Amino acid sequence: KLYDELVSLEKETGVTLSGSPSQQVGYEILSELPKETHGSPMLSLDKTKSVEDLQEWLGDQKGLLSWKMDGLTIVLTYEEGTLAKAVTRVNGEIGEVITPNARVFANIPLNISYQGQLILRGEAVITYSDFKRINEEIEDVDARYKNPRNLCSGSVRQLNNEITAQRNVYFFAFALVEAQGEDFANSQEKKYLFMQEQGFEVVEYKKVTAQNIAKAVEWFSANIQKNDFPSDGLVLLYDDIAYVESLGRTAKFPRNAIAF
């Protein structure tokens, strides 16, 4: 009964998650990871350690403050509702194609209801609890992984995706690059909500202004202690899409976000 209910929900929503019992996973072994040039360069964020800088940067704008996940950035492309391609960031210009591996991530949608071309970016991460479990299974202490990010990098770039499947890699979306024909009412948060509707887990965020951002930073500082996903800071993003487009871009950093 549960299986039949799952299949009917997948038909109704158009969303099928990786790991679903309705999917027969075929593992693949590659001889190498193909390289591919990114459609638009993936620049590093400008950063600060000062809350006052965040307030000044935000000015009178509304923003979204979220975890800066410490993993591997991945670009996903969906065509006609199906995962077509997954590419790692590498140097921001050229990435490695890891599509077979992405298909066995713990929480990625293999099918979504949106039928146009969808391109989004997110972070692949491994939890501290899975990191500890996997390291304990490696008897040679010197061969153990130093941190979850190293383990995640090795897991995402496996030539045998059966190993990736065993590592329990999670994907958190943080940027919608393209969704043809969709209107997001000039709001980055609407993009986040749209991605959630399509079955993606979106990086946890809070809506902020210059007046309440210090309090939000305090909340994240307190909660990072019990967060099972590795994070190395926060990201502040303007909510107003038109405002961001009016700023243009620098050669080094995108102007829509800053890291803390």
Side-chain angles (χ1 to χ4, degrees):
K1 279 174 74 176
L2 285 169
Y3 180 84
D4 290 345
E5 184 184 356
L6 171 68
V7 171
S8 93
L9 282 168
E10 287 176 345
K11 279 183 184 162
E12 183 187 323
T13 61
V15 174
T16 308
L17 292 173
S18 57
S20 168
S22 72
Q23 299 300 298
Q24 294 297 317
V25 177
Y27 294 119
E28 293 181 48
I29 298 178
L30 304 174
S31 58
E32 64 175 14
L33 296 175
K35 303 275 195 298
E36 182 170 299
T37 303
H38 292 296
S40 55
M42 299 173 68
L43 304 174
S44 299
L45 295 179
D46 199 2
K47 50 187 176 283
T48 179
K49 292 185 177 179
S50 154
V51 174
E52 289 75 20
D53 283 351
L54 293 182
Q55 289 171 319
E56 189 179 326
W57 185 87
L58 196 52
D60 60 359
Q61 291 290 318
K62 292 175 183 171
L64 305 175
L65 188 67
S66 65
W67 296 115
K68 184 174 178 287
M69 307 293 258
D70 191 19
L72 217 67
T73 301
I74 310 284
V75 186
L76 299 181
T77 302
Y78 287 76
E79 305 277 0
E80 297 179 354
T82 300
L83 176 62
K85 190 167 56 182
V87 185
T88 63
R89 180 181 185 274
V90 187
N91 64 4
E93 297 283 343
I94 297 171
E96 291 177 317
V97 180
I98 50 116
T99 314
N101 296 348
R103 289 197 178 106
V104 297
F105 286 0
N107 65 334
I108 216 164
L110 300 177
N111 297 102
I112 58 176
S113 60
Y114 176 76
Q115 294 297 299
Q117 186 183 65
L118 182 85
I119 303 173
L120 71 155
R121 294 173 181 170
E123 200 80 355
V125 293
I126 286 179
T127 64
Y128 285 115
S129 43
D130 280 326
F131 167 70
K132 187 180 174 189
R133 169 184 64 80
I134 291 163
N135 254 356
E136 283 173 352
E137 291 168 0
I138 302 170
E139 290 181 8
D140 180 358
V141 175
D142 293 333
R144 289 178 179 173
Y145 292 91
K146 290 187 169 51
N147 53 55
R149 190 180 192 279
N150 284 4
L151 174 59
C152 184
S153 178
S155 304
V156 164
R157 300 180 64 253
Q158 286 289 328
L159 296 177
N160 180 353
N161 71 341
E162 188 171 4
I163 297 171
T164 309
Q166 293 163 0
R167 298 283 175 81
N168 226 17
V169 179
Y170 284 84
F171 177 85
F172 290 93
F174 61 67
L176 179 59
V177 179
E178 186 176 331
Q180 296 160 347
E182 289 293 317
D183 179 14
F184 299 106
N186 198 37
S187 167
Q188 287 287 354
E189 189 186 19
K190 292 271 171 56
K191 288 187 172 185
Y192 277 11
L193 297 173
F194 173 77
M195 288 190 288
Q196 284 177 327
E197 285 167 11
Q198 299 303 314
F200 296 97
E201 285 197 59
V202 171
V203 65
E204 185 176 20
Y205 67 92
K206 287 190 171 295
K207 293 187 277 188
V208 292
T209 62
Q211 287 69 45
N212 69 7
I213 193 168
K215 197 170 180 181
V217 170
E218 279 179 27
W219 183 90
F220 279 103
S221 298
N223 279 271
I224 199 170
Q225 308 297 331
K226 54 193 176 194
N227 198 9
D228 200 22
F229 291 101
S231 165
D232 59 350
L234 302 174
V235 174
L236 177 60
L237 191 69
Y238 290 123
D239 185 57
D240 188 321
I241 296 169
Y243 177 70
V244 168
E245 287 171 356
S246 75
L247 296 174
R249 63 172 63 186
T250 68
K252 281 184 74 178
F253 306 116
R255 285 194 161 142
N256 66 324
I258 187 170
F260 174 72

